[in-house]
Amino acid sequence: MGGAPHDDVNWMGREPRPSLDLRTDQPHSARVYDVLLGGKTNYPADRRAVADLLASMPIARRTALENRAFMHRAVGYLAGEEGVRQFLDIGTGIPTEPNLHQVAQGADPTVRVVYADNDPIVLAHSRALHQGTPEGRTDYVHGDLCEPEAILAEARKTLDFSRPIAVTLLTVLHWLPAHADAYEIVRTLMDAVPAGSALVITHVTRDHEDSAVGAAAEGLNAQGSHVTPRSRDEVARFFDGLELAAPGLELVERWRTDARPDAPVGLPAGPSQPAEAEDIVPLYVAVGRKPA
């Protein structure tokens, strides 16, 4: 890829693709996550960031795996039990199977999914790796969460905003730059979708791994990636005005884990019951529905 211009039409077929400036000299959240999941679509800066991250927060890899497993559970719940047929996934990251659209369209092949990310390397892989079912639709928006209106404008070309949409923000809000108002961004997204829509969030916290998470955040910030862990109350604010699905706002290992057929590699099946505080994965998760 090497930053060469791509002037063919984008996957949604509407305008030329931008030139790919991969910024390989700095770690990027999507590529850091790819390293933690054992992927190969990353660069030395990303791998160095993960090495430093694991040195200060050894549970980081398990956090990424648990986050992925939660996505499978939450999307399966919304598409399978709640009948949601549209998903807007922002901060999708490097494609890793099974992807969100595969889980959702496994419940109903007519589901429509729009992915959005600001990493050019995700753009480069989107066309090949996000192919959905013929009955449904799977599209990609190259957009920045700091500009939610632009993402919404593109998503409207694929999704029907008169029908419920699940907005998924998985391990992305804590990566927003310091100048961004994360709460206003979430409000903008949820104000745009109708009643019955859902908000799905995973967010890193310092509540249970304060020293480790703080050191990890400081290390990533020093390398050019802004990370803001939030407390339980701060994460709960994102769901103001929404009705939380049971069991509410929880640690990732405690959200609908009575049975865990989707347990991450290396983790046991069955509910997670960490014996020691240091074993707790420092990630809050929740699913909220927009009332009528």
Side-chain angles (χ1 to χ4, degrees):
M1 289 165 283
H6 283 229
D7 56 6
D8 55 319
V9 295
N10 70 10
W11 186 13
M12 298 180 78
R14 298 183 177 95
E15 57 189 49
R17 286 188 170 197
S19 298
L20 298 184
D21 179 9
L22 299 183
R23 298 296 303 273
T24 61
D25 59 320
Q26 294 183 4
H28 188 282
S29 58
R31 300 192 298 259
V32 167
Y33 189 52
D34 182 67
V35 176
L36 290 170
L37 291 175
K40 301 184 184 303
T41 311
N42 48 72
Y43 291 89
D46 308 303
R47 295 189 285 273
R48 287 193 298 270
V50 168
D52 292 344
L53 176 62
L54 291 172
S56 58
M57 185 180 161
I59 204 169
R61 178 162 282 120
R62 183 178 177 184
T63 300
L65 292 169
E66 286 281 8
N67 179 72
R68 192 75 184 171
F70 166 78
M71 182 273 284
H72 296 160
R73 297 197 301 276
V75 172
Y77 161 71
L78 287 170
E81 297 184 37
E82 295 297 313
V84 176
R85 294 295 175 259
Q86 301 187 104
F87 289 80
L88 174 57
D89 181 56
I90 305 176
T92 182
I94 310 296
T96 304
E97 293 193 353
N99 293 295
L100 185 151
H101 72 276
Q102 293 169 312
V103 177
Q105 291 174 350
D108 185 328
T110 68
V111 167
R112 292 189 168 204
V113 177
V114 170
Y115 291 107
D117 204 289
N118 69 344
D119 185 1
I121 204 168
V122 179
L123 170 64
H125 284 268
S126 62
R127 188 186 312 195
L129 297 183
H130 281 152
Q131 297 300 317
T133 59
E135 302 93 332
R137 190 80 181 273
T138 308
D139 285 329
Y140 180 79
V141 172
H142 186 66
D144 195 313
L145 181 56
C146 291
E147 300 175 350
E149 294 90 349
I151 291 176
L152 290 166
E154 286 297 314
R156 289 181 187 279
K157 299 171 183 177
T158 298
L159 305 179
D160 179 356
F161 276 66
S162 70
R163 297 172 54 232
I165 297 169
V167 178
T168 59
L169 300 167
L170 306 177
T171 59
V172 63
L173 290 170
H174 50 252
W175 287 97
L176 287 172
H179 64 79
D181 185 337
Y183 297 105
E184 180 60 29
I185 287 170
V186 172
R187 277 193 296 271
T188 298
L189 292 169
M190 296 311 295
D191 284 348
V193 296
S197 294
L199 174 65
V200 185
I201 286 177
T202 65
H203 200 297
V204 73
T205 182
R206 297 177 65 162
D207 286 357
H208 301 278
E209 290 279 344
D210 185 66
S211 59
V213 173
E218 290 173 7
L220 288 166
N221 291 343
Q223 296 180 59
S225 296
H226 185 80
V227 180
T228 305
R230 288 184 170 90
S231 69
R232 189 181 192 283
D233 287 345
E234 289 172 325
V235 176
R237 280 185 57 196
F238 289 114
F239 294 92
D240 284 352
L242 304 181
E243 299 171 348
L244 291 181
L249 178 63
E250 269 290 2
L251 290 168
V252 65
E253 297 163 298
R254 299 173 182 171
W255 196 91
R256 297 177 67 88
T257 52
D258 293 339
R260 289 165 56 89
D262 59 349
V265 175
L267 296 181
S272 294
Q273 297 292 340
E276 303 294 340
E278 60 265 29
D279 294 329
I280 292 175
V281 174
L283 199 70
Y284 282 123
V285 306
V287 174
R289 296 296 296 268
K290 187 172 181 177

